[in-house]
Amino acid sequence: MEIRYIAPGKIPLHLKLRRQLTQYLCVGEHYGLATIDWLVLAGDPSGACQCTLVRSIDEGGGLQFAVPEFPTIAAEIEAEPPAQCTGSLAECLDWAKAQGGSEDRFGNLASLNAIYRDLVEQGIAGN
């Protein structure tokens, strides 16, 4: 599947329509668990935005490629709430950059899942 990213100038429109945008960051390890680290950017018609860092426990491979359905570190280890930023789009994009993200790499959930599938096929994730 070809990965299609949202043009930075189109992000406000997607958020006003209440679409959640995602961005793959990396394969990581937290508390001894393999994770897929990604961002979710959400907004509303008023212009308020929220960007959240999600660390999904890598349980995939095989036939499971739906990253948002994986359990998360925040849910499994109650002491760690998800890191997030709430504010204007500019504030959330700056925060996303500080987490290793980029304003030109946001896509939809299908894009996130396609990236994960590619990582599994390359032997980088899903082991």
Side-chain angles (χ1 to χ4, degrees):
M1 174 182 187
E2 179 182 341
I3 308 301
R4 294 187 181 189
Y5 296 108
I6 307 298
K10 299 282 185 179
I11 290 174
L13 174 62
H14 284 268
L15 297 179
K16 283 182 183 179
L17 294 173
R18 296 186 184 263
R19 294 180 182 148
Q20 288 190 341
L21 304 178
T22 63
Q23 182 173 146
Y24 166 78
L25 294 177
C26 67
V27 173
E29 184 176 318
H30 300 279
Y31 301 104
L33 299 169
T35 61
I36 303 300
D37 297 358
W38 54 288
L39 298 172
V40 61
L41 180 63
D44 63 35
S46 73
C49 294
Q50 184 174 54
C51 190
T52 305
L53 171 62
V54 181
R55 291 191 164 115
S56 295
I57 299 170
D58 186 358
E59 292 191 341
L63 299 174
Q64 175 66 293
F65 296 105
V67 175
E69 295 178 18
F70 295 171
T72 64
I73 292 290
E76 297 295 316
I77 300 173
E78 295 178 31
E80 183 175 306
Q84 62 185 24
C85 173
T86 301
S88 69
L89 176 58
E91 291 169 324
C92 287
L93 290 176
D94 285 344
W95 183 85
K97 289 176 191 172
Q99 306 308 309
S102 171
E103 71 179 41
D104 62 352
R105 304 288 286 181
F106 280 100
N108 59 22
L109 289 174
S111 296
L112 177 67
N113 293 335
I115 290 169
Y116 179 71
R117 180 183 298 266
D118 289 346
L119 293 170
V120 170
E121 288 173 359
Q122 295 169 28
I124 297 170
N127 299 320

